[in-house]
Amino acid sequence: MFPSNHQFSSQPRALAVVDSTIQMQVDLNEASFVERDEMQNIGFSQAKSIIESSEKLKDDLQMLGMKIKQHEDSMRLLEAQKNKLDDSILDMQVMLGKHHSSSAPKIENKDHSHLQSEEETIEQILRHEKSAAGILCQLKTRHGTQASHLTLTKDVLGLVATLGKVDDENLSRLFSEYLGVQTMLAIVCKTHEGIKALETYNQDGCLDKTSGLHGLGASIGRPLDGRFLVICLESLRPYAGDFVADDPQRRLDLLKPRLPNGECPPGFLGFAVNMIHVDSSNLFYVTASGDGLRETLFYNLFSRLQVYRTRAEMVLALPCISEGAVSLDGGMIRSPGVFSLGSREEVDVRFPKSSATSDVPQNYIETEKQMKEMRWEKEKLEEDTKRELALLNNAKFNFERKKQDFVKFLAQSSSYATQHQFQAARDRLTPR
């Protein structure tokens, strides 16, 4: 009996030990779970802080980027306003310069005080007796308006020398020399049909001197010798840009030359194509497409030929000269790198003087006042531009500094994320 009683008394003690061990394991697991939950909560909190900081840096960068764009837009607007003022000031200077035409340098010391009339230009053409232009002028002189109804001449608009006029004798001589006598005597036709009427060929392809302009010359005792130029308007590529607003002469709105510093070259007076006066009847619908003589004939003859007051000012403006230039004292640049040197050539066929009213403003004092106001406004714009540039540079500096902070923050947060991922992986591998 005693052995049996001793055996019963030891079982409860063993059970107590087992229960105690199990309880200790449960307590350890719970502590591990709690510690892991606390670590996760800390990780979530830090991740949230990283995201919030990242978003704030992004917002700051975006705000600074918008400021930079606003300042750049303001700079462009100020520059456009300044350039517009420069053009207006230059136009007024040209107008006032015409008022003081006596101060313009002369090409020669000869007396050219008289202004050439259209009749004088016709007389100059008639002196070229055996030229195509001379024969046409002779026909018009003898038969008047009836000559324009002939098959030979009905498509002929005129001669280069008679289709344009200028306001200044000096410019007339200069432009005539630039074009040369052969171009000044060129016949201008509206269509290619007019060119075919002027000259015909036989079956062998040889020139038929009994018809066309050759036959006409022979019939009046002025046989046509040599070649002559004929310009077909419908075959020319017209100017494709805008025109000066509210200008009755429909001058071309060409961009004025600019030096590397953005300023217009000193002494620049304008473009030759815009200094030609065109009769109102030839300003519109000369061609089937509705183009006038300025954007077809004279744009192809002069293109963007620039006019300067003196040769010295023209040479200083060389970086801005893209298609040739001339100066009032006789300087001439045919094209970039091609200079006409030596004594000037006296061309005996010149543009006549325009009979149109002068473009000089009636109220000279008011024009000067407006120009002074524009110069004052330009100075104010320049100050605004300097201030805007300082703000732009400051915004760019702050943007670069904030960007460096953002890059540094990304590197630090990436390092933390790597450590957190390693810790999470280790926790997953730890037995519960």
mmCIF file of all heavy atoms in Angstrom, residues 272-310:
data_model
loop_
_atom_site.group_PDB
_atom_site.id
_atom_site.type_symbol
_atom_site.label_atom_id
_atom_site.label_comp_id
_atom_site.label_asym_id
_atom_site.label_seq_id
_atom_site.Cartn_x
_atom_site.Cartn_y
_atom_site.Cartn_z
ATOM 1 N N ALA A 272 15.482 98.720 -98.155
ATOM 2 C CA ALA A 272 15.295 99.347 -99.467
ATOM 3 C C ALA A 272 13.921 99.038 -100.040
ATOM 4 O O ALA A 272 13.283 99.906 -100.647
ATOM 5 C CB ALA A 272 16.399 98.879 -100.420
ATOM 6 N N VAL A 273 13.427 97.804 -99.859
ATOM 7 C CA VAL A 273 12.142 97.414 -100.432
ATOM 8 C C VAL A 273 11.006 98.274 -99.897
ATOM 9 O O VAL A 273 10.002 98.499 -100.595
ATOM 10 C CB VAL A 273 11.878 95.911 -100.158
ATOM 11 C CG1 VAL A 273 11.675 95.656 -98.676
ATOM 12 C CG2 VAL A 273 10.672 95.417 -100.958
ATOM 13 N N ASN A 274 11.156 98.790 -98.681
ATOM 14 C CA ASN A 274 10.123 99.635 -98.093
ATOM 15 C C ASN A 274 10.322 101.115 -98.401
ATOM 16 O O ASN A 274 9.475 101.945 -98.046
ATOM 17 C CB ASN A 274 10.072 99.434 -96.576
ATOM 18 C CG ASN A 274 9.419 98.125 -96.187
ATOM 19 O OD1 ASN A 274 8.623 97.574 -96.955
ATOM 20 N ND2 ASN A 274 9.743 97.617 -95.017
ATOM 21 N N MET A 275 11.434 101.459 -99.034
ATOM 22 C CA MET A 275 11.683 102.860 -99.388
ATOM 23 C C MET A 275 11.252 103.172 -100.818
ATOM 24 O O MET A 275 11.395 104.302 -101.286
ATOM 25 C CB MET A 275 13.169 103.180 -99.209
ATOM 26 C CG MET A 275 13.629 103.107 -97.766
ATOM 27 S SD MET A 275 15.373 103.511 -97.583
ATOM 28 C CE MET A 275 15.552 103.454 -95.794
ATOM 29 N N ILE A 276 10.732 102.166 -101.511
ATOM 30 C CA ILE A 276 10.197 102.354 -102.858
ATOM 31 C C ILE A 276 8.720 102.711 -102.740
ATOM 32 O O ILE A 276 7.949 102.020 -102.066
ATOM 33 C CB ILE A 276 10.362 101.077 -103.704
ATOM 34 C CG1 ILE A 276 11.845 100.729 -103.863
ATOM 35 C CG2 ILE A 276 9.692 101.242 -105.057
ATOM 36 C CD1 ILE A 276 12.631 101.715 -104.700
ATOM 37 N N HIS A 277 8.322 103.792 -103.386
ATOM 38 C CA HIS A 277 6.907 104.176 -103.408
ATOM 39 C C HIS A 277 6.241 103.490 -104.595
ATOM 40 O O HIS A 277 6.701 103.583 -105.733
ATOM 41 C CB HIS A 277 6.771 105.696 -103.523
ATOM 42 C CG HIS A 277 5.339 106.149 -103.558
ATOM 43 N ND1 HIS A 277 4.607 106.388 -102.414
ATOM 44 C CD2 HIS A 277 4.501 106.378 -104.597
ATOM 45 C CE1 HIS A 277 3.384 106.761 -102.745
ATOM 46 N NE2 HIS A 277 3.296 106.756 -104.060
ATOM 47 N N VAL A 278 5.144 102.795 -104.325
ATOM 48 C CA VAL A 278 4.407 102.073 -105.359
ATOM 49 C C VAL A 278 3.068 102.767 -105.571
ATOM 50 O O VAL A 278 2.376 103.104 -104.611
ATOM 51 C CB VAL A 278 4.186 100.598 -104.952
ATOM 52 C CG1 VAL A 278 3.415 99.850 -106.036
ATOM 53 C CG2 VAL A 278 5.518 99.911 -104.684
ATOM 54 N N ASP A 279 2.706 102.974 -106.847
ATOM 55 C CA ASP A 279 1.405 103.577 -107.145
ATOM 56 C C ASP A 279 0.283 102.727 -106.567
ATOM 57 O O ASP A 279 0.370 101.489 -106.536
ATOM 58 C CB ASP A 279 1.216 103.714 -108.661
ATOM 59 C CG ASP A 279 2.083 104.828 -109.242
ATOM 60 O OD1 ASP A 279 2.521 105.698 -108.460
ATOM 61 O OD2 ASP A 279 2.327 104.809 -110.460
ATOM 62 N N SER A 280 -0.762 103.386 -106.125
ATOM 63 C CA SER A 280 -1.872 102.682 -105.467
ATOM 64 C C SER A 280 -2.484 101.609 -106.361
ATOM 65 O O SER A 280 -2.960 100.581 -105.877
ATOM 66 C CB SER A 280 -2.951 103.687 -105.049
ATOM 67 O OG SER A 280 -3.407 104.419 -106.180
ATOM 68 N N SER A 281 -2.454 101.821 -107.677
ATOM 69 C CA SER A 281 -3.023 100.832 -108.598
ATOM 70 C C SER A 281 -2.227 99.536 -108.647
ATOM 71 O O SER A 281 -2.740 98.504 -109.105
ATOM 72 C CB SER A 281 -3.109 101.424 -110.017
ATOM 73 O OG SER A 281 -1.818 101.801 -110.471
ATOM 74 N N ASN A 282 -0.988 99.587 -108.172
ATOM 75 C CA ASN A 282 -0.126 98.400 -108.205
ATOM 76 C C ASN A 282 0.131 97.802 -106.819
ATOM 77 O O ASN A 282 0.996 96.942 -106.666
ATOM 78 C CB ASN A 282 1.214 98.738 -108.863
ATOM 79 C CG ASN A 282 1.075 99.023 -110.339
ATOM 80 O OD1 ASN A 282 0.215 98.449 -111.006
ATOM 81 N ND2 ASN A 282 1.906 99.906 -110.865
ATOM 82 N N LEU A 283 -0.617 98.260 -105.826
ATOM 83 C CA LEU A 283 -0.425 97.752 -104.468
ATOM 84 C C LEU A 283 -1.172 96.440 -104.236
ATOM 85 O O LEU A 283 -0.791 95.644 -103.383
ATOM 86 C CB LEU A 283 -0.894 98.784 -103.440
ATOM 87 C CG LEU A 283 0.012 99.997 -103.224
ATOM 88 C CD1 LEU A 283 -0.666 101.009 -102.313
ATOM 89 C CD2 LEU A 283 1.346 99.562 -102.628
ATOM 90 N N PHE A 284 -2.246 96.209 -104.981
ATOM 91 C CA PHE A 284 -3.065 95.016 -104.798
ATOM 92 C C PHE A 284 -3.360 94.370 -106.152
ATOM 93 O O PHE A 284 -3.424 95.045 -107.181
ATOM 94 C CB PHE A 284 -4.412 95.351 -104.140
ATOM 95 C CG PHE A 284 -4.297 96.005 -102.790
ATOM 96 C CD1 PHE A 284 -4.294 97.381 -102.666
ATOM 97 C CD2 PHE A 284 -4.198 95.237 -101.641
ATOM 98 C CE1 PHE A 284 -4.207 97.988 -101.431
ATOM 99 C CE2 PHE A 284 -4.106 95.830 -100.400
ATOM 100 C CZ PHE A 284 -4.112 97.206 -100.294
ATOM 101 N N TYR A 285 -3.565 93.064 -106.114
ATOM 102 C CA TYR A 285 -4.128 92.308 -107.230
ATOM 103 C C TYR A 285 -3.438 92.551 -108.576
ATOM 104 O O TYR A 285 -4.081 92.636 -109.614
ATOM 105 C CB TYR A 285 -5.625 92.600 -107.357
ATOM 106 C CG TYR A 285 -6.383 92.282 -106.105
ATOM 107 C CD1 TYR A 285 -6.880 93.282 -105.283
ATOM 108 C CD2 TYR A 285 -6.574 90.949 -105.716
ATOM 109 C CE1 TYR A 285 -7.559 92.996 -104.124
ATOM 110 C CE2 TYR A 285 -7.261 90.639 -104.551
ATOM 111 C CZ TYR A 285 -7.746 91.674 -103.757
ATOM 112 O OH TYR A 285 -8.413 91.366 -102.601
ATOM 113 N N VAL A 286 -2.124 92.657 -108.526
ATOM 114 C CA VAL A 286 -1.359 92.727 -109.776
ATOM 115 C C VAL A 286 -1.251 91.326 -110.379
ATOM 116 O O VAL A 286 -1.262 91.150 -111.597
ATOM 117 C CB VAL A 286 0.026 93.337 -109.531
ATOM 118 C CG1 VAL A 286 0.852 93.338 -110.813
ATOM 119 C CG2 VAL A 286 -0.112 94.760 -109.013
ATOM 120 N N THR A 287 -1.172 90.324 -109.513
ATOM 121 C CA THR A 287 -1.119 88.934 -109.961
ATOM 122 C C THR A 287 -2.459 88.258 -109.683
ATOM 123 O O THR A 287 -3.302 88.784 -108.951
ATOM 124 C CB THR A 287 -0.004 88.162 -109.234
ATOM 125 O OG1 THR A 287 -0.329 88.074 -107.840
ATOM 126 C CG2 THR A 287 1.327 88.871 -109.383
ATOM 127 N N ALA A 288 -2.639 87.084 -110.245
ATOM 128 C CA ALA A 288 -3.891 86.347 -110.063
ATOM 129 C C ALA A 288 -4.116 85.964 -108.607
ATOM 130 O O ALA A 288 -5.261 85.790 -108.164
ATOM 131 C CB ALA A 288 -3.889 85.102 -110.947
ATOM 132 N N SER A 289 -3.035 85.825 -107.849
ATOM 133 C CA SER A 289 -3.153 85.460 -106.429
ATOM 134 C C SER A 289 -3.406 86.669 -105.534
ATOM 135 O O SER A 289 -3.518 86.521 -104.315
ATOM 136 C CB SER A 289 -1.888 84.728 -105.974
ATOM 137 O OG SER A 289 -0.746 85.523 -106.204
ATOM 138 N N GLY A 290 -3.472 87.874 -106.123
ATOM 139 C CA GLY A 290 -3.801 89.062 -105.347
ATOM 140 C C GLY A 290 -2.616 89.835 -104.810
ATOM 141 O O GLY A 290 -2.797 90.790 -104.044
ATOM 142 N N ASP A 291 -1.401 89.445 -105.187
ATOM 143 C CA ASP A 291 -0.206 90.120 -104.668
ATOM 144 C C ASP A 291 0.046 91.430 -105.411
ATOM 145 O O ASP A 291 -0.336 91.598 -106.572
ATOM 146 C CB ASP A 291 1.019 89.216 -104.807
ATOM 147 C CG ASP A 291 0.903 87.966 -103.968
ATOM 148 O OD1 ASP A 291 0.547 88.095 -102.784
ATOM 149 O OD2 ASP A 291 1.172 86.867 -104.493
ATOM 150 N N GLY A 292 0.717 92.373 -104.709
ATOM 151 C CA GLY A 292 1.091 93.642 -105.299
ATOM 152 C C GLY A 292 2.542 93.654 -105.725
ATOM 153 O O GLY A 292 3.272 92.666 -105.576
ATOM 154 N N LEU A 293 2.985 94.804 -106.238
ATOM 155 C CA LEU A 293 4.351 94.895 -106.745
ATOM 156 C C LEU A 293 5.405 94.854 -105.647
ATOM 157 O O LEU A 293 6.509 94.369 -105.860
ATOM 158 C CB LEU A 293 4.528 96.189 -107.549
ATOM 159 C CG LEU A 293 4.025 96.176 -108.991
ATOM 160 C CD1 LEU A 293 4.401 97.473 -109.693
ATOM 161 C CD2 LEU A 293 4.581 94.987 -109.750
ATOM 162 N N ARG A 294 5.075 95.383 -104.454
ATOM 163 C CA ARG A 294 6.102 95.424 -103.408
ATOM 164 C C ARG A 294 6.519 94.019 -102.978
ATOM 165 O O ARG A 294 7.707 93.711 -102.857
ATOM 166 C CB ARG A 294 5.619 96.218 -102.188
ATOM 167 C CG ARG A 294 6.755 96.473 -101.182
ATOM 168 C CD ARG A 294 6.279 97.230 -99.962
ATOM 169 N NE ARG A 294 5.600 98.463 -100.297
ATOM 170 C CZ ARG A 294 6.215 99.592 -100.638
ATOM 171 N NH1 ARG A 294 7.525 99.633 -100.705
ATOM 172 N NH2 ARG A 294 5.514 100.680 -100.920
ATOM 173 N N GLU A 295 5.541 93.166 -102.739
ATOM 174 C CA GLU A 295 5.857 91.816 -102.235
ATOM 175 C C GLU A 295 6.279 90.854 -103.332
ATOM 176 O O GLU A 295 6.677 89.713 -103.034
ATOM 177 C CB GLU A 295 4.676 91.235 -101.450
ATOM 178 C CG GLU A 295 3.398 91.074 -102.223
ATOM 179 C CD GLU A 295 2.468 92.278 -102.116
ATOM 180 O OE1 GLU A 295 2.982 93.420 -102.000
ATOM 181 O OE2 GLU A 295 1.249 92.088 -102.160
ATOM 182 N N THR A 296 6.188 91.255 -104.594
ATOM 183 C CA THR A 296 6.630 90.388 -105.697
ATOM 184 C C THR A 296 7.877 90.965 -106.359
ATOM 185 O O THR A 296 8.989 90.500 -106.111
ATOM 186 C CB THR A 296 5.493 90.229 -106.727
ATOM 187 O OG1 THR A 296 5.038 91.535 -107.147
ATOM 188 C CG2 THR A 296 4.339 89.455 -106.144
ATOM 189 N N LEU A 297 7.690 91.978 -107.190
ATOM 190 C CA LEU A 297 8.801 92.531 -107.967
ATOM 191 C C LEU A 297 9.908 93.106 -107.086
ATOM 192 O O LEU A 297 11.073 92.672 -107.169
ATOM 193 C CB LEU A 297 8.276 93.623 -108.905
ATOM 194 C CG LEU A 297 9.351 94.387 -109.693
ATOM 195 C CD1 LEU A 297 10.076 93.468 -110.655
ATOM 196 C CD2 LEU A 297 8.730 95.580 -110.423
ATOM 197 N N PHE A 298 9.572 94.071 -106.225
ATOM 198 C CA PHE A 298 10.620 94.774 -105.491
ATOM 199 C C PHE A 298 11.204 93.926 -104.362
ATOM 200 O O PHE A 298 12.377 94.104 -104.012
ATOM 201 C CB PHE A 298 10.081 96.103 -104.967
ATOM 202 C CG PHE A 298 9.810 97.091 -106.069
ATOM 203 C CD1 PHE A 298 8.512 97.458 -106.397
ATOM 204 C CD2 PHE A 298 10.850 97.614 -106.814
ATOM 205 C CE1 PHE A 298 8.263 98.336 -107.426
ATOM 206 C CE2 PHE A 298 10.618 98.498 -107.855
ATOM 207 C CZ PHE A 298 9.312 98.864 -108.163
ATOM 208 N N TYR A 299 10.426 92.990 -103.820
ATOM 209 C CA TYR A 299 11.001 92.091 -102.810
ATOM 210 C C TYR A 299 12.024 91.161 -103.452
ATOM 211 O O TYR A 299 13.051 90.838 -102.853
ATOM 212 C CB TYR A 299 9.902 91.281 -102.135
ATOM 213 C CG TYR A 299 10.426 90.336 -101.071
ATOM 214 C CD1 TYR A 299 10.976 90.826 -99.889
ATOM 215 C CD2 TYR A 299 10.389 88.961 -101.259
ATOM 216 C CE1 TYR A 299 11.467 89.965 -98.913
ATOM 217 C CE2 TYR A 299 10.875 88.093 -100.297
ATOM 218 C CZ TYR A 299 11.415 88.604 -99.128
ATOM 219 O OH TYR A 299 11.909 87.752 -98.170
ATOM 220 N N ASN A 300 11.770 90.732 -104.697
ATOM 221 C CA ASN A 300 12.734 89.867 -105.385
ATOM 222 C C ASN A 300 13.946 90.641 -105.867
ATOM 223 O O ASN A 300 15.033 90.070 -105.997
ATOM 224 C CB ASN A 300 12.049 89.153 -106.554
ATOM 225 C CG ASN A 300 11.288 87.918 -106.120
ATOM 226 O OD1 ASN A 300 11.835 86.821 -106.102
ATOM 227 N ND2 ASN A 300 10.019 88.086 -105.743
ATOM 228 N N LEU A 301 13.796 91.935 -106.129
ATOM 229 C CA LEU A 301 14.932 92.740 -106.562
ATOM 230 C C LEU A 301 15.821 93.155 -105.394
ATOM 231 O O LEU A 301 17.053 93.121 -105.486
ATOM 232 C CB LEU A 301 14.439 93.994 -107.297
ATOM 233 C CG LEU A 301 13.787 93.779 -108.662
ATOM 234 C CD1 LEU A 301 13.302 95.108 -109.224
ATOM 235 C CD2 LEU A 301 14.748 93.113 -109.635
ATOM 236 N N PHE A 302 15.185 93.566 -104.286
ATOM 237 C CA PHE A 302 15.960 94.085 -103.155
ATOM 238 C C PHE A 302 16.052 93.114 -101.981
ATOM 239 O O PHE A 302 16.968 93.227 -101.159
ATOM 240 C CB PHE A 302 15.332 95.395 -102.653
ATOM 241 C CG PHE A 302 15.482 96.539 -103.608
ATOM 242 C CD1 PHE A 302 14.388 97.033 -104.297
ATOM 243 C CD2 PHE A 302 16.712 97.126 -103.821
ATOM 244 C CE1 PHE A 302 14.513 98.097 -105.173
ATOM 245 C CE2 PHE A 302 16.860 98.187 -104.694
ATOM 246 C CZ PHE A 302 15.758 98.679 -105.378
ATOM 247 N N SER A 303 15.093 92.198 -101.875
ATOM 248 C CA SER A 303 15.041 91.286 -100.739
ATOM 249 C C SER A 303 15.120 92.079 -99.429
ATOM 250 O O SER A 303 14.354 93.024 -99.240
ATOM 251 C CB SER A 303 16.172 90.258 -100.835
ATOM 252 O OG SER A 303 16.015 89.245 -99.859
ATOM 253 N N ARG A 304 16.073 91.745 -98.551
ATOM 254 C CA ARG A 304 16.217 92.451 -97.265
ATOM 255 C C ARG A 304 17.447 93.380 -97.260
ATOM 256 O O ARG A 304 18.155 93.496 -96.265
ATOM 257 C CB ARG A 304 16.319 91.445 -96.115
ATOM 258 C CG ARG A 304 14.991 90.770 -95.793
ATOM 259 C CD ARG A 304 15.158 89.659 -94.763
ATOM 260 N NE ARG A 304 13.899 89.201 -94.218
ATOM 261 C CZ ARG A 304 13.053 88.374 -94.835
ATOM 262 N NH1 ARG A 304 13.350 87.920 -96.047
ATOM 263 N NH2 ARG A 304 11.917 88.007 -94.264
ATOM 264 N N LEU A 305 17.668 94.051 -98.390
ATOM 265 C CA LEU A 305 18.767 94.999 -98.502
ATOM 266 C C LEU A 305 18.579 96.122 -97.480
ATOM 267 O O LEU A 305 17.562 96.802 -97.462
ATOM 268 C CB LEU A 305 18.812 95.586 -99.912
ATOM 269 C CG LEU A 305 19.948 96.582 -100.187
ATOM 270 C CD1 LEU A 305 21.280 95.858 -100.283
ATOM 271 C CD2 LEU A 305 19.666 97.383 -101.452
ATOM 272 N N GLN A 306 19.590 96.300 -96.611
ATOM 273 C CA GLN A 306 19.513 97.305 -95.547
ATOM 274 C C GLN A 306 20.138 98.625 -96.002
ATOM 275 O O GLN A 306 21.068 98.639 -96.806
ATOM 276 C CB GLN A 306 20.219 96.793 -94.292
ATOM 277 C CG GLN A 306 19.639 95.500 -93.740
ATOM 278 C CD GLN A 306 20.448 94.945 -92.586
ATOM 279 O OE1 GLN A 306 21.216 95.657 -91.951
ATOM 280 N NE2 GLN A 306 20.284 93.654 -92.311
ATOM 281 N N VAL A 307 19.618 99.721 -95.471
ATOM 282 C CA VAL A 307 20.122 101.053 -95.800
ATOM 283 C C VAL A 307 20.648 101.702 -94.523
ATOM 284 O O VAL A 307 19.941 101.748 -93.502
ATOM 285 C CB VAL A 307 19.019 101.932 -96.426
ATOM 286 C CG1 VAL A 307 19.581 103.307 -96.777
ATOM 287 C CG2 VAL A 307 18.440 101.250 -97.668
ATOM 288 N N TYR A 308 21.903 102.213 -94.588
ATOM 289 C CA TYR A 308 22.536 102.872 -93.436
ATOM 290 C C TYR A 308 22.910 104.305 -93.800
ATOM 291 O O TYR A 308 23.031 104.662 -94.969
ATOM 292 C CB TYR A 308 23.784 102.094 -93.001
ATOM 293 C CG TYR A 308 23.456 100.798 -92.310
ATOM 294 C CD1 TYR A 308 23.231 99.634 -93.052
ATOM 295 C CD2 TYR A 308 23.335 100.731 -90.926
ATOM 296 C CE1 TYR A 308 22.897 98.441 -92.430
ATOM 297 C CE2 TYR A 308 23.002 99.543 -90.295
ATOM 298 C CZ TYR A 308 22.782 98.406 -91.046
ATOM 299 O OH TYR A 308 22.445 97.236 -90.420
ATOM 300 N N ARG A 309 23.094 105.094 -92.773
ATOM 301 C CA ARG A 309 23.413 106.503 -92.985
ATOM 302 C C ARG A 309 24.829 106.670 -93.551
ATOM 303 O O ARG A 309 25.040 107.430 -94.487
ATOM 304 C CB ARG A 309 23.270 107.269 -91.665
ATOM 305 C CG ARG A 309 23.375 108.782 -91.812
ATOM 306 C CD ARG A 309 23.040 109.468 -90.499
ATOM 307 N NE ARG A 309 21.681 109.167 -90.101
ATOM 308 C CZ ARG A 309 20.599 109.785 -90.566
ATOM 309 N NH1 ARG A 309 20.733 110.742 -91.460
ATOM 310 N NH2 ARG A 309 19.398 109.455 -90.143
ATOM 311 N N THR A 310 25.804 105.975 -92.965
ATOM 312 C CA THR A 310 27.183 106.110 -93.420
ATOM 313 C C THR A 310 27.809 104.738 -93.652
ATOM 314 O O THR A 310 27.339 103.721 -93.137
ATOM 315 C CB THR A 310 28.045 106.867 -92.391
ATOM 316 O OG1 THR A 310 28.151 106.071 -91.192
ATOM 317 C CG2 THR A 310 27.433 108.224 -92.048
#
